[in-house]
Amino acid sequence: MVPSATTLLGLVRHITFAERVWFDQDISGRSREEIGLPESVEDSWVLAPEDTIASIQAAHRQACDESRRVAATLDLDTKVRVRTPHPLWTTYLHLLRELAQHCGHAEILREQILAAR
């Protein structure tokens, strides 16, 4: 529906990737390979043949649950030092911006679906 490979399921897959990078990689220090993430942000949008709505939703819920668990013991001013040093509160801010941006993308896809009816 758009020139890129953007799909609703791809959006959820990508925000799951972002959640894991900003919370798991940055706080735990684990590499993307250890977490099971692609190295390229562009690859985070690509759906695998085995991906389903249920599996993508479950992966997103799990990533959010893990983020909450990891961040629960930290103060918002805690310095996260893995990629670029920053206080934890900026992680939340970044992810909120990321979600807002991609909600806009989802809205465009929704409008195109409704217009095609």
Side-chain angles (χ1 to χ4, degrees):
M1 294 186 332
V2 293
S4 69
T6 303
T7 64
L8 292 174
L9 201 54
L11 281 167
V12 178
R13 191 173 193 285
H14 171 72
I15 62 170
T16 302
F17 167 87
E19 184 83 24
R20 288 184 173 145
V21 166
W22 282 89
F23 278 96
D24 194 340
Q25 183 181 3
D26 275 7
I27 293 173
S28 75
R30 297 188 315 153
S31 70
R32 289 184 185 184
E33 183 179 10
E34 290 173 295
I35 301 168
L37 298 176
E39 283 299 317
S40 165
V41 173
E42 290 78 21
D43 290 341
S44 70
W45 295 85
V46 179
L47 297 172
E50 65 273 8
D51 286 335
T52 64
I53 293 171
S55 70
I56 296 292
Q57 285 177 325
H60 183 255
R61 278 191 212 102
Q62 180 184 15
C64 291
D65 289 347
E66 289 171 11
S67 295
R68 285 185 194 98
R69 183 184 52 75
V70 167
T73 61
L74 303 174
D75 183 74
L76 289 175
D77 290 322
T78 299
K79 291 286 185 196
V80 177
R81 303 183 184 273
V82 173
R83 290 182 301 149
T84 303
H86 61 276
L88 178 61
W89 65 265
T90 62
T91 296
Y92 285 104
L93 187 62
H94 176 82
L95 282 173
L96 283 171
R97 186 204 56 80
E98 181 97 6
L99 287 169
Q101 176 184 354
H102 294 314
C103 282
H105 295 144
E107 178 63 14
I108 291 167
L109 295 175
R110 185 192 70 81
E111 288 178 8
Q112 289 181 325
I113 291 167
L114 292 177
R117 289 183 175 179

